[in-house]
Structures are given as C-alpha cells and as structure tokens.
Amino acid sequence: MSTPVLSVDNVSKAYFEFSSELRRFMRWFGIPARTSAEHWVVRHITFRVEPGEAVGIIGHNGAGKSTLLKMITGTTRPTSGHIALHGRVSALLELGLGFNSELSGRENVIHSAGLMGLSQESIASLLPQIEDFAEIGEYFDQPMRTYSSGMQMRVAFSVATAIRPDVLIVDEALSVGDAYFVHKCFRRIKEFREAGTTLLIVSHDAAAIQALCDRALLLDAGSLIMDGNPQQVFDYYNALIADRENAGVRTSSLDDEGRVMTESGTGEVVFKSIELLDANNTRVEYVGVGDDVALRAVARVTGDVDRLVFGYMIRDRLGQAIFGTNTHYTEQAVESARAGQDVVYTARFPMNLGPGTYSVSIALTSAETHLVKNYQWRDLALVFTVANVGRSQFVGSAWVPPQIEVNIVESKALFDA
C-alpha cells in the first residue's frame, strides 16, 4: 500500500480574540492565556490523498476551503490536529500572494522561484519559458501595480507550474483569467496529471472539478460533510444550496441500483414517473445515435402552486452538462396548478449524442432556477446508453452529421509547367 501524499488528521483551526495584547503575547510563547472570543473556521477534518490522485474541494463562501489549503501549504498552522505533506509542492493561493507590486513581473518571478527552492541557474533557464507562457508582452518588465488581476494570475500560474510539482494546489486563482488562458492552464494541469502530479483544487466550477478530479470534498461551516464522486458531491452541494433558499426543504441521498441520487424539494409538486420512450412510445434504456426519442415525466400536484416549471438536464458519465432546458425558457410554464392535478410533460428530440452512458436530472420549480421555489429536484433520475448503430464512425459527445463536399482542383501552376 502506497504512502499518502497528503494526510490530514483531525485538523481544526480557530482564530482568537484577547482582552489585551499581553494575553496575545503570552499565547505566542505557549503560556496559557484566557481568550475573550474564539472563532472556529475548520473543525475536525480528516482525509487522505494518494499519489497521482486529483481532489476537488467545494463549498459555499466561508466554508473553510481556503483556510484548509493555507494549513496544508504551511501558510498558517492548525490549532489542533496534524498535517503531513510529501514531495515538491507548488501552490496558487490568494491572487498576488507573495508578489511585490513595486517590482516587475520578471523580478517577482525570480523572487518567487527562489522561494520555491530553485537555484539561480535553474531560474535563468526557466525564465524565457515562463515569460512565453504568461503572454503579457512588454508588461513582464513593468511594475506589477500596473497589472490587471488576470495578468497577475498569468504570471502566478506560469511560475508555479514552470517545473512539474509532485503536488499542485490551486485555490480559485483561475476564476479571474480570460477564457483563452484558463483553457491553456487546464491543458497544462491535465498534462501534469497524466505525468503523475497530485492535484488539490478549490473551485465553484462543477465542470472543471468533474473533468479534472477523481474525488470531491464538500465543506460546510468548517466541517467535512461529504467525500466521494465529484458528481454526487456537487449534486448534494446543490441540494444544500436549495435547502438554504427554501424553507422546509428535505435533502436525502437515495441508493438505487448502486447509484447514489440526491433529491430535495418542498413537496408541493412531486414526480410520479420519468421514462425515455422510442418512436413507438416503448420505454427504452438503449438508444441509437440519431434516433427519435421522447422524455416523459408525470408530476403530481399535492398543494396549490401559482406557477410550475419543469426542467431537465442531460449529463455525460462525468456529470458534465450536455444539454438542459425548462418550460420557463420555452414559455410553457403552468400557471395556477391545483392540488390533485397531474401534469404530463413530453419532450421530443433526436438523440444526437455520441456513444456512451448519460443521465438525466429533473426539476419542478416556480422559475428558471431551483433556488427560488424548489418543489422537487432529483439527480440521476434516469440513466440511458447511446450506441452507434448504422451511422458512420465519428468521435465526440455530439452527433452533428455534415454534408461534406470534396472537389479536386488542378493547380494552375501545373498547366503552366
């Protein structure tokens, strides 16, 4: 059994207030001193990360994510518990952390690379490729106080990843970058992963976590409340958000045929059934590429509601959104649904997806999002498989059959010769 790259054992972090500076000074030297207030931001967190594993950390603002990363990287110390981290570590924490705004980008790179333990010879050899990757042109030799937040992120990421680390830690830094550079960063991160780098990333981007990570940790109020598959963890996280926005929401995890589903809702309207039908209205679980299908859902109204919206999202096996819509967008919301009524929704479409396994998430709400009034919201409500039967070979998650024209035109130069 391999030794974990990271071990976090029963770690907690508190910030203290003191009635006098003397008491604070006494605490610095280990002398017992009474505090006037204690603020616990992380409580009793334990987990392991194996070599080469990629772990995402999610949670709402103030959940303790950044504080946990700071303790892991040694920027701050835990109040209790133990953290063990092995190997070369490269971290992108708070934007601009460790940079001097009066120094140029080049000077800050040299300084930061030195703090990373690189020799002057190594820094000199790496500097051109760092400058090239950052792509900020002449600003590289200008004071950093003239940089935008996106330019700072470019320099920070470029120097942090100049040499492939054993462990790469990223805390929301990529959220401020432009789309082009963010794609460039993710490409480098994927290359590092393929080479064996362990990744620890904090992000609110579900697609990024699901694409990069093997596991996800969900923090809430400083505690670790879930550790598991990224899609399942994000489903539960979304249910918690709905829980905060809608009084009386019930959140539960259901085990159905080995799959973990997350469900929430106030219950005024609930799903009776959900099924995928072929062109003959026969229930199916296997569909051919391009086949005409219908997604049919039956909802029972248990309590009067002023407005009812049905929505669904098709996701790939990694949980990334492929297509989603709802009756708010299509201007087909039901007004004034009454208790005892059943509402039947039928969405017909060609299955223009690539071969693979897909899931469907469904929702009954009052508006375009489940954060307003969430009557029922269910992930992994339906799972189906798409196979390529009788279509020409293609790659990708979407089937967009083209009409390709091929014309051979003789070069004029050939006739001139």
Side-chain angles (χ1 to χ4, degrees):
M1 185 175 179
S2 61
T3 301
V5 168
L6 171 65
S7 298
V8 177
D9 295 305
N10 199 28
V11 167
S12 299
K13 177 65 179 180
Y15 292 98
F16 303 105
E17 295 182 16
F18 298 89
S19 58
S20 68
E21 290 302 316
L22 176 60
R23 292 183 184 275
R24 186 188 304 277
F25 185 76
M26 292 169 60
R27 178 64 70 95
W28 287 350
F29 289 93
I31 302 173
R34 181 178 301 173
T35 61
S36 58
E38 297 181 356
H39 304 282
W40 291 88
V41 293
V42 172
R43 289 180 177 271
H44 309 299
I45 289 182
T46 297
F47 64 91
R48 304 280 188 277
V49 179
E50 299 298 327
E53 195 173 15
V55 178
I57 302 176
I58 65 175
H60 63 83
N61 293 335
K65 306 183 299 296
S66 296
T67 301
L68 176 60
L69 289 193
K70 288 178 181 178
M71 290 189 289
I72 290 172
T73 57
T75 304
T76 188
R77 298 178 61 184
T79 304
S80 62
H82 176 71
I83 297 174
L85 182 60
H86 306 284
R88 177 190 288 273
V89 179
S90 186
L92 276 152
L93 300 179
E94 295 177 9
L95 189 64
L97 185 66
F99 286 158
N100 186 324
S101 62
E102 296 302 319
L103 298 180
S104 68
R106 187 182 305 276
E107 292 167 335
N108 272 295
V109 166
I110 294 172
H111 176 68
S112 297
L115 293 177
M116 291 167 59
L118 299 181
S119 66
Q120 291 300 313
E121 293 77 12
S122 296
I123 295 173
S125 65
L126 291 171
L127 202 54
Q129 74 177 56
I130 293 173
E131 182 177 3
D132 290 343
F133 192 88
E135 293 188 74
I136 60 172
E138 62 184 18
Y139 278 98
F140 198 64
D141 290 304
Q142 299 298 319
M144 266 204 160
R145 54 182 164 78
T146 65
Y147 287 19
S148 66
S149 58
M151 292 168 67
Q152 290 186 45
M153 189 276 283
R154 284 176 172 239
V155 174
F157 187 88
S158 299
V159 67
T161 60
I163 293 180
R164 185 182 72 82
D166 297 312
V167 182
L168 178 62
I169 299 175
V170 182
D171 181 10
E172 286 286 7
L174 301 182
S175 62
V176 300
D178 59 89
Y180 162 74
F181 194 76
V182 169
H183 277 275
K184 190 175 180 180
C185 293
F186 279 123
R187 188 162 59 247
R188 175 167 281 190
I189 290 174
K190 287 181 179 178
E191 291 171 356
F192 283 179
R193 278 224 60 202
E194 292 169 358
T197 292
T198 300
L199 175 65
L200 203 61
I201 181 171
V202 166
S203 178
H204 292 284
D205 185 347
I209 295 291
Q210 290 165 355
L212 291 172
C213 298
D214 310 303
R215 290 164 54 202
L217 310 178
L218 175 58
L219 301 189
D220 187 57
S223 298
L224 176 61
I225 63 172
M226 193 172 187
D227 179 352
N229 175 276
Q231 181 183 352
Q232 296 170 4
V233 173
F234 259 104
D235 289 345
Y236 194 78
Y237 175 49
N238 288 329
L240 288 180
I241 294 174
D243 194 358
R244 290 187 169 87
E245 298 292 335
N246 298 274
V249 169
R250 302 177 304 278
T251 301
S252 60
S253 292
L254 308 175
D255 189 5
D256 178 57
E257 299 179 3
R259 300 185 299 267
V260 178
M261 299 186 297
T262 302
E263 180 179 326
S264 66
T266 52
E268 288 92 338
V269 190
V270 296
F271 286 105
K272 290 179 61 179
S273 65
I274 175 76
E275 55 189 357
L276 187 67
L277 307 174
D278 63 13
N280 298 316
N281 282 332
T282 302
R283 185 170 182 172
V284 292
E285 294 183 2
Y286 293 87
V287 184
V289 172
D291 288 357
D292 290 327
V293 298
L295 180 68
R296 179 170 295 167
V298 180
R300 166 62 58 88
V301 182
T302 61
D304 295 350
V305 296
D306 294 332
R307 192 169 189 268
L308 178 60
V309 172
F310 164 72
Y312 68 93
M313 176 72 75
I314 299 175
R315 303 178 186 274
D316 65 13
R317 64 181 181 82
L318 298 177
Q320 300 187 69
I322 300 298
F323 177 83
T325 189
N326 60 50
T327 55
H328 173 87
Y329 294 146
T330 61
E331 300 181 352
Q332 293 174 288
V334 174
E335 307 293 341
S336 301
R338 297 296 171 236
Q341 294 178 331
D342 283 349
V343 184
V344 180
Y345 296 97
T346 305
R348 302 184 187 278
F349 53 91
M351 189 58 74
N352 291 350
L353 300 179
T357 302
Y358 299 86
S359 67
V360 179
S361 301
I362 52 177
L364 295 165
T365 65
S366 65
E368 62 182 300
T369 171
H370 72 291
L371 299 182
V372 182
K373 289 183 179 179
N374 171 32
Y375 304 130
Q376 189 174 45
W377 178 65
R378 187 188 299 172
D379 285 288
L380 286 173
L382 183 71
V383 176
F384 63 92
T385 300
V386 177
N388 189 354
V389 180
R391 308 290 183 180
S392 59
Q393 189 69 25
F394 68 97
V395 296
S397 59
W399 183 58
V400 188
Q403 295 291 335
I404 300 177
E405 295 183 2
V406 179
N407 297 300
I408 300 176
V409 180
E410 299 292 346
S411 171
K412 184 177 182 296
L414 181 63
F415 292 104
D416 293 341

